[in-house]
């Protein structure tokens, strides 16, 4: 895997880079938001390890920017900020996992493998397919079929369904879904798109968790 490590602490950055390389990963280590924005636009990575306290900006702002730009690769936040509010904010903005410093390197590697595994929908033919019962979503071709019949989705509906299918049985909060699929919308836009999506794919797939968000069950 090709990993983008965004960490400004020299000692920790070197240690993480060495640990990841020893585990067989290809690592680009960056220390500033500006550098991260540049290289994430130039290089295709499989995952990001993101510190929040960076010298030229807030990692959460970078996270928000990446999701608003349509970046769907797994992002694992690593930070000393351990409050519940900070963790929830990071997850709401689109982080796939959140690990509080100090941590054991073996746990970091295990969590990294887990978020990449959850995000990987590639089959043996090299196709990015996500399946739930008779729904088959092709991420590369941006198509959806139900019982082999193609279902036409808008770009936003496709992004919402992709986020839900990539996180089966996990509740995605409203803020998280908005960050991934509706970064510039306000009000009840999410409810409208979700209603249209449900109408197109049929009932029984998307479940509302009142006061929290939505999930898809296997």
């Amino acid at each position: 895997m090709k990993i983008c490590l965004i960490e400004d602490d020299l000692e920790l950055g070197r240690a993480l880079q060495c640990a990841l390389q020893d585990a067989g990963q290809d690592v680009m280590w960056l220390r500033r938001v500006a550098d991260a924005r540049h290289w994430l636009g130039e290089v295709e990575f499989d995952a990001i390890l993101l510190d929040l306290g960076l010298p030229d900006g807030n990692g959460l702002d970078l996270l928000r920017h990446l999701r608003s730009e349509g970046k769907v690769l797994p992002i694992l936040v690593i930070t000393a900020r351990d409050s519940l509010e900070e963790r929830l904010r990071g997850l709401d903005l689109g982080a796939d996992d959140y690990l509080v410093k100090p941590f054991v390197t073996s746990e970091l590697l295990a969590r990294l493998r887990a978020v990449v595994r959850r995000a990987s929908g590639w089959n043996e033919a090299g196709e990015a397919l996500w399946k739930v019962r008779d729904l088959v979503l092709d991420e590369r071709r941006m198509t959806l079929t139900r019982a082999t019949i193609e279902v036409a989705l808008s770009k936003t509906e496709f992004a919402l369904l992709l986020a839900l299918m990539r996180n089966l049985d996990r509740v995605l909060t409203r803020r998280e879904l908005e960050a991934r699929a509706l970064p510039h919308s306000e009000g009840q836009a999410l409810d409208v798109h979700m209603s249209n999506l449900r109408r197109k794919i049929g009932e029984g797939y998307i479940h509302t968790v009142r006061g929290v968000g939505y999930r898809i069950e296997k």
Side-chain angles (χ1 to χ4, degrees):
M1 292 188 296
K2 191 170 187 64
I3 308 299
C4 182
L5 169 62
I6 307 171
E7 167 62 63
D8 71 315
D9 184 277
L10 287 173
E11 184 176 351
L12 179 59
R14 289 193 188 101
L16 290 177
Q17 185 180 41
C18 289
L20 290 163
Q21 289 174 338
D22 288 345
Q25 313 305 331
D26 182 7
V27 184
M28 178 181 285
W29 174 25
L30 306 171
R31 300 181 60 221
R32 298 172 59 84
V33 170
D35 293 335
R37 287 197 179 203
H38 170 75
W39 286 109
L40 286 166
E42 297 290 327
V43 178
E44 290 293 327
F45 293 96
D46 296 299
I48 297 173
L49 294 176
L50 175 63
D51 183 26
L52 298 186
L54 299 170
D56 62 335
N58 189 324
L60 288 178
D61 292 333
L62 176 60
L63 173 60
R64 182 188 296 109
H65 168 75
L66 293 173
R67 292 312 190 202
S68 70
E69 290 291 306
K71 297 285 187 182
V72 297
L73 76 169
I75 299 177
L76 172 56
V77 170
I78 50 174
T79 180
R81 303 177 189 178
D82 60 354
S83 70
L84 176 60
E85 181 180 352
E86 285 285 348
R87 294 199 302 273
L88 292 177
R89 188 180 177 202
L91 293 170
D92 283 342
L93 289 175
D96 293 271
D97 202 353
Y98 197 107
L99 187 58
V100 176
K101 301 174 184 176
F103 48 77
V104 179
T105 303
S106 58
E107 181 181 5
L108 172 69
L109 294 173
R111 286 177 179 256
L112 179 61
R113 289 192 297 270
V115 296
V116 171
R117 187 167 57 247
R118 288 200 301 267
S120 176
W122 296 88
N123 65 11
E124 294 179 356
E127 299 170 315
L129 301 179
W130 301 89
K131 300 179 181 179
V132 178
R133 284 170 271 166
D134 61 349
L135 291 180
V136 179
L137 184 148
D138 188 322
E139 185 175 351
R140 175 177 286 179
R141 296 182 178 86
M142 292 190 67
T143 59
L144 173 73
T145 58
R146 180 183 179 190
T148 71
I149 299 174
E150 187 164 340
V151 180
L153 299 179
S154 70
K155 182 177 179 180
T156 298
E157 292 163 356
F158 185 89
L160 288 171
L161 186 58
L162 175 61
L164 290 167
M165 292 182 74
R166 288 181 63 174
N167 294 274
L168 288 181
D169 294 325
R170 175 190 159 197
V171 178
L172 296 184
T173 66
R174 294 179 61 87
R175 287 178 60 187
E176 186 172 358
L177 285 167
E178 287 167 350
R180 292 176 182 241
L182 296 154
H184 306 297
S185 297
E186 298 179 356
Q188 301 302 309
L190 177 62
D191 296 324
V192 173
H193 287 291
M194 200 62 74
S195 176
N196 290 336
L197 181 57
R198 278 175 161 152
R199 175 175 52 79
K200 291 181 178 182
I201 68 174
E203 293 298 324
Y205 294 97
I206 300 175
H207 298 266
T208 301
V209 181
R210 293 191 179 278
V212 182
Y214 299 89
R215 75 167 181 268
I216 281 186
E217 296 179 353
K218 294 179 182 178

